[in-house]
Amino acid sequence: QMQLVESGGGLVQAGGSLRLSCVASGRTFSSYHMGWFRQAPGKQREFVAAINWSGDSTYYAASVKDRFTISRDNTKNTVYLQMNSLKPEDTAVYYCGADKSYNDLWREPCCYGVDYWGKGTLVTVSS
């Protein structure tokens, strides 16, 4: 059992930065691999970034690699997404998800293997 709550979304100018947080409730957070996903208006939800349970492995979608950084703090039951050099095409509702299987987080089609979802936080990047 796990509940996920995202925060940190908002309006930002192109080229700016934003940091998203996802706080998990439950006693088994550290046993789950975590991911960030996004869904733009009129589009399918897509994978953004993943981090394994211990935080020593990460994986990114090509569209965000070198701009976004995923991290986690298991002492706070929190996963973060640092977003830099934001572009208007990054505008979307961002969701965090948890999965017992690491590779399931970026399995296509998205988002078949995700076990738990947050309700999302809206990121709007203006041009």
Side-chain angles (χ1 to χ4, degrees), residues 38-46 89:
R38 66 188 183 187
Q39 188 166 19
K43 295 185 177 181
Q44 299 285 341
R45 189 172 300 186
E46 65 177 349
E89 53 262 44

Side-chain angles (χ1 to χ4, degrees), residues 33-37 46-52 57-61 99 101-114:
H33 313 289
M34 301 295 297
W36 284 98
F37 306 80
E46 65 177 349
F47 166 78
V48 174
I51 188 166
N52 74 336
S57 179
T58 58
Y59 188 82
Y60 297 92
D99 204 307
S101 176
Y102 189 34
N103 292 345
D104 277 358
L105 289 168
W106 59 85
R107 175 182 175 181
E108 295 184 344
C110 184
C111 306
Y112 183 82
V114 178

Side-chain angles (χ1 to χ4, degrees), residues 44-104:
Q44 299 285 341
R45 189 172 300 186
E46 65 177 349
F47 166 78
V48 174
I51 188 166
N52 74 336
W53 68 271
S54 61
D56 61 0
S57 179
T58 58
Y59 188 82
Y60 297 92
S63 59
V64 306
K65 187 176 176 62
D66 299 325
R67 297 190 298 122
F68 292 8
T69 302
I70 188 170
S71 61
R72 69 190 296 164
D73 185 344
N74 288 343
T75 69
K76 298 180 178 180
N77 282 10
T78 303
V79 62
Y80 305 95
L81 185 68
Q82 178 66 48
M83 304 185 294
N84 298 326
S85 301
L86 283 162
K87 305 174 181 179
E89 53 262 44
D90 295 318
T91 295
V93 177
Y94 283 72
Y95 301 88
C96 63
D99 204 307
K100 288 286 188 67
S101 176
Y102 189 34
N103 292 345
D104 277 358

